[in-house]
Short mmCIF file of all heavy atoms in Angstrom, two decimals:
data_model
loop_
_atom_site.label_atom_id
_atom_site.label_comp_id
_atom_site.label_asym_id
_atom_site.label_seq_id
_atom_site.Cartn_x
_atom_site.Cartn_y
_atom_site.Cartn_z
N ASN A 209 -20.90 -4.37 58.21
CA ASN A 209 -21.77 -5.56 58.14
C ASN A 209 -21.05 -6.78 57.60
O ASN A 209 -21.22 -7.89 58.13
CB ASN A 209 -22.98 -5.28 57.23
CG ASN A 209 -24.01 -4.38 57.88
OD1 ASN A 209 -23.90 -4.08 59.07
ND2 ASN A 209 -24.99 -3.95 57.12
N LEU A 213 -20.89 -10.10 59.67
CA LEU A 213 -21.65 -11.28 59.23
C LEU A 213 -20.73 -12.46 58.98
O LEU A 213 -21.09 -13.61 59.23
CB LEU A 213 -22.47 -10.94 57.98
CG LEU A 213 -23.65 -9.99 58.23
CD1 LEU A 213 -24.23 -9.50 56.90
CD2 LEU A 213 -24.74 -10.67 59.07
N THR A 252 -26.87 -10.71 51.44
CA THR A 252 -26.57 -9.33 51.09
C THR A 252 -27.02 -8.49 52.26
O THR A 252 -27.87 -8.92 53.05
CB THR A 252 -27.34 -8.87 49.83
OG1 THR A 252 -28.74 -8.89 50.12
CG2 THR A 252 -27.04 -9.79 48.65
N SER A 253 -26.45 -7.30 52.39
CA SER A 253 -27.01 -6.39 53.38
C SER A 253 -27.32 -5.07 52.73
O SER A 253 -26.63 -4.63 51.82
CB SER A 253 -26.09 -6.23 54.59
OG SER A 253 -24.94 -5.51 54.28
N ALA A 254 -28.43 -4.48 53.19
CA ALA A 254 -28.96 -3.18 52.77
C ALA A 254 -29.67 -3.26 51.41
O ALA A 254 -29.63 -4.28 50.72
CB ALA A 254 -27.87 -2.12 52.73
N GLY A 255 -30.34 -2.16 51.07
CA GLY A 255 -31.00 -2.07 49.77
C GLY A 255 -32.22 -2.96 49.60
O GLY A 255 -32.61 -3.29 48.49
N VAL A 256 -32.84 -3.38 50.70
CA VAL A 256 -34.03 -4.24 50.57
C VAL A 256 -35.29 -3.56 51.07
O VAL A 256 -36.33 -4.17 51.21
CB VAL A 256 -33.90 -5.56 51.37
CG1 VAL A 256 -33.14 -6.59 50.58
CG2 VAL A 256 -33.31 -5.34 52.73
N SER A 257 -35.17 -2.26 51.34
CA SER A 257 -36.33 -1.58 51.87
C SER A 257 -37.09 -0.94 50.71
O SER A 257 -37.08 -1.48 49.60
CB SER A 257 -35.85 -0.55 52.90
OG SER A 257 -36.88 -0.26 53.79
N PRO A 284 -35.96 -4.87 65.50
CA PRO A 284 -35.47 -4.51 64.16
C PRO A 284 -35.56 -5.69 63.21
O PRO A 284 -35.75 -6.81 63.65
CB PRO A 284 -34.00 -4.17 64.44
CG PRO A 284 -33.64 -4.96 65.64
CD PRO A 284 -34.87 -5.05 66.47
N GLY A 285 -35.46 -5.37 61.92
CA GLY A 285 -35.31 -6.44 60.93
C GLY A 285 -36.46 -6.63 59.98
O GLY A 285 -36.48 -7.59 59.22
N LYS A 286 -37.40 -5.66 59.95
CA LYS A 286 -38.59 -5.86 59.13
C LYS A 286 -38.31 -6.14 57.65
O LYS A 286 -38.86 -7.08 57.09
CB LYS A 286 -39.49 -4.63 59.29
CG LYS A 286 -40.75 -4.66 58.49
CD LYS A 286 -41.74 -3.62 59.00
CE LYS A 286 -41.14 -2.23 59.14
NZ LYS A 286 -41.07 -1.50 57.87
N PRO A 287 -37.44 -5.34 56.98
CA PRO A 287 -37.33 -5.52 55.53
C PRO A 287 -36.43 -6.67 55.10
O PRO A 287 -35.51 -6.49 54.32
CB PRO A 287 -36.76 -4.17 55.06
CG PRO A 287 -35.93 -3.71 56.18
CD PRO A 287 -36.57 -4.24 57.44
N LEU A 288 -36.72 -7.87 55.58
CA LEU A 288 -35.92 -9.04 55.20
C LEU A 288 -36.53 -9.68 53.95
O LEU A 288 -37.74 -9.81 53.85
CB LEU A 288 -35.96 -10.04 56.36
CG LEU A 288 -35.39 -11.44 56.08
CD1 LEU A 288 -33.86 -11.37 56.03
CD2 LEU A 288 -35.84 -12.41 57.16
N VAL A 289 -35.65 -10.06 53.01
CA VAL A 289 -36.15 -10.79 51.84
C VAL A 289 -35.42 -12.13 51.76
O VAL A 289 -34.21 -12.20 52.05
CB VAL A 289 -36.00 -9.96 50.54
CG1 VAL A 289 -34.57 -9.57 50.27
CG2 VAL A 289 -36.57 -10.69 49.35
N PHE A 299 -30.48 -14.46 51.21
CA PHE A 299 -31.07 -13.62 52.25
C PHE A 299 -30.68 -12.18 51.95
O PHE A 299 -29.48 -11.86 51.94
CB PHE A 299 -30.50 -13.95 53.63
CG PHE A 299 -30.94 -15.27 54.19
CD1 PHE A 299 -30.24 -16.43 53.89
CD2 PHE A 299 -32.04 -15.36 55.04
CE1 PHE A 299 -30.63 -17.66 54.42
CE2 PHE A 299 -32.43 -16.58 55.59
CZ PHE A 299 -31.73 -17.72 55.27
N GLY A 300 -31.67 -11.33 51.69
CA GLY A 300 -31.40 -9.90 51.63
C GLY A 300 -31.66 -9.34 53.01
O GLY A 300 -32.80 -9.18 53.45
N LEU A 301 -30.55 -9.11 53.74
CA LEU A 301 -30.69 -8.63 55.12
C LEU A 301 -30.78 -7.11 55.11
O LEU A 301 -30.22 -6.45 54.23
CB LEU A 301 -29.49 -9.06 55.96
CG LEU A 301 -29.18 -10.55 56.00
CD1 LEU A 301 -27.94 -10.81 56.86
CD2 LEU A 301 -30.36 -11.34 56.54
N PRO A 302 -31.46 -6.54 56.09
CA PRO A 302 -31.50 -5.08 56.18
C PRO A 302 -30.10 -4.51 56.44
O PRO A 302 -29.22 -5.21 56.92
CB PRO A 302 -32.44 -4.81 57.35
CG PRO A 302 -32.64 -6.09 58.05
CD PRO A 302 -32.24 -7.20 57.15
N GLY A 303 -29.93 -3.24 56.11
CA GLY A 303 -28.60 -2.63 56.16
C GLY A 303 -28.16 -2.17 57.53
O GLY A 303 -26.97 -2.18 57.84
N ASN A 304 -29.12 -1.76 58.35
CA ASN A 304 -28.73 -1.29 59.68
C ASN A 304 -27.95 -2.39 60.39
O ASN A 304 -28.39 -3.54 60.43
CB ASN A 304 -29.95 -0.90 60.50
CG ASN A 304 -30.42 0.50 60.15
OD1 ASN A 304 -29.60 1.41 60.08
ND2 ASN A 304 -31.71 0.65 59.93
N PRO A 305 -26.81 -2.03 60.94
CA PRO A 305 -25.94 -3.07 61.51
C PRO A 305 -26.65 -3.97 62.51
O PRO A 305 -26.49 -5.20 62.46
CB PRO A 305 -24.82 -2.26 62.17
CG PRO A 305 -24.76 -1.00 61.38
CD PRO A 305 -26.17 -0.70 60.96
N THR A 306 -27.43 -3.42 63.40
CA THR A 306 -28.09 -4.26 64.39
C THR A 306 -29.19 -5.10 63.75
O THR A 306 -29.39 -6.26 64.08
CB THR A 306 -28.65 -3.40 65.53
OG1 THR A 306 -27.54 -2.79 66.19
CG2 THR A 306 -29.40 -4.24 66.54
N SER A 307 -29.89 -4.51 62.77
CA SER A 307 -30.95 -5.26 62.09
C SER A 307 -30.38 -6.47 61.37
O SER A 307 -30.98 -7.55 61.37
CB SER A 307 -31.66 -4.38 61.06
OG SER A 307 -32.09 -3.19 61.65
N SER A 308 -29.21 -6.30 60.75
CA SER A 308 -28.64 -7.43 60.01
C SER A 308 -28.22 -8.52 61.00
O SER A 308 -28.40 -9.71 60.72
CB SER A 308 -27.49 -6.99 59.11
OG SER A 308 -26.39 -6.54 59.87
N LEU A 309 -27.72 -8.13 62.16
CA LEU A 309 -27.34 -9.15 63.15
C LEU A 309 -28.56 -9.85 63.74
O LEU A 309 -28.55 -11.06 63.94
CB LEU A 309 -26.51 -8.53 64.27
CG LEU A 309 -25.07 -8.17 63.91
CD1 LEU A 309 -24.36 -7.55 65.12
CD2 LEU A 309 -24.30 -9.40 63.43
N VAL A 310 -29.62 -9.09 64.00
CA VAL A 310 -30.82 -9.70 64.57
C VAL A 310 -31.46 -10.67 63.57
O VAL A 310 -31.83 -11.80 63.92
CB VAL A 310 -31.84 -8.63 65.03
CG1 VAL A 310 -33.20 -9.25 65.36
CG2 VAL A 310 -31.30 -7.87 66.25
N THR A 311 -31.54 -10.26 62.31
CA THR A 311 -32.15 -11.16 61.32
C THR A 311 -31.24 -12.36 61.07
O THR A 311 -31.73 -13.46 60.80
CB THR A 311 -32.46 -10.43 60.00
OG1 THR A 311 -31.32 -9.66 59.62
CG2 THR A 311 -33.67 -9.54 60.14
N PHE A 312 -29.94 -12.15 61.19
CA PHE A 312 -29.04 -13.31 61.09
C PHE A 312 -29.39 -14.31 62.18
O PHE A 312 -29.56 -15.51 61.93
CB PHE A 312 -27.57 -12.88 61.23
CG PHE A 312 -26.62 -14.03 61.07
CD1 PHE A 312 -26.08 -14.33 59.83
CD2 PHE A 312 -26.30 -14.86 62.14
CE1 PHE A 312 -25.23 -15.42 59.67
CE2 PHE A 312 -25.46 -15.95 62.00
CZ PHE A 312 -24.93 -16.22 60.75
#
Side-chain angles (χ1 to χ4, degrees):
N209 285 352
L213 290 169
T252 64
S253 70
V256 277
S257 203
K286 179 164 50 81
L288 170 74
V289 59
F299 289 87
L301 304 179
N304 278 313
T306 296
S307 307
S308 66
L309 286 180
V310 168
T311 47
F312 183 93

